[in-house]
Amino acid sequence: MLQGRISLARLRRLKLGAGLLLVAALVAITLISAVAVIASSHLTREQYARLQRLEREHNQLQTEWGQLLLEESAWSSPARIERLAVERLEMRLPDVHEAEVIRP
């Protein structure tokens, strides 16, 4: 009977030790999970801030692109080109008598 009591006491200690080990493991897993959530949240915030910066830059570049297209259309307008050809290069339309028709 004494051996039965000793075995029962040992069994209780083993169960208590296993329970404490289980609790310690669960606490460690919970802490690791909490640190992972914190790290993930931090990275998400950094990436969102970067996304906001890139979207602002995109909008600025789109505005600049639109302005450049307007400027290009102003510089290449047919009326401006004709005016420059007449003023700077002294070009003119040929008379009817100066035109030659080439037939194949």
Side-chain angles (χ1 to χ4, degrees), residues 30-48:
T30 302
L31 289 175
I32 291 170
S33 174
V35 169
V37 167
I38 291 169
S40 175
S41 297
H42 178 69
L43 288 174
T44 300
R45 286 187 185 112
E46 282 183 343
Q47 292 297 322
Y48 186 72

Side-chain angles (χ1 to χ4, degrees), residues 12-63:
R12 286 183 183 161
R13 274 186 266 144
L14 285 175
K15 283 184 179 179
L16 182 63
L20 287 177
L21 185 62
L22 178 63
V23 169
L26 290 174
V27 168
I29 290 171
T30 302
L31 289 175
I32 291 170
S33 174
V35 169
V37 167
I38 291 169
S40 175
S41 297
H42 178 69
L43 288 174
T44 300
R45 286 187 185 112
E46 282 183 343
Q47 292 297 322
Y48 186 72
R50 183 170 183 255
L51 174 66
Q52 293 294 323
R53 283 192 306 273
L54 290 173
E55 284 179 346
R56 260 193 315 274
E57 182 181 351
H58 176 263
N59 290 337
Q60 290 171 349
L61 290 172
Q62 282 294 107
T63 302

Side-chain angles (χ1 to χ4, degrees), residues 84-101:
L84 290 175
V86 169
E87 290 174 2
R88 290 187 184 173
L89 302 175
E90 298 176 5
M91 295 178 84
R92 61 179 177 75
L93 288 174
D95 290 332
V96 175
H97 302 294
E98 296 175 338
E100 292 183 22
V101 179

Side-chain angles (χ1 to χ4, degrees), residues 1-9:
M1 182 101 161
L2 185 59
Q3 280 185 342
R5 285 186 179 175
I6 293 174
S7 295
L8 188 59

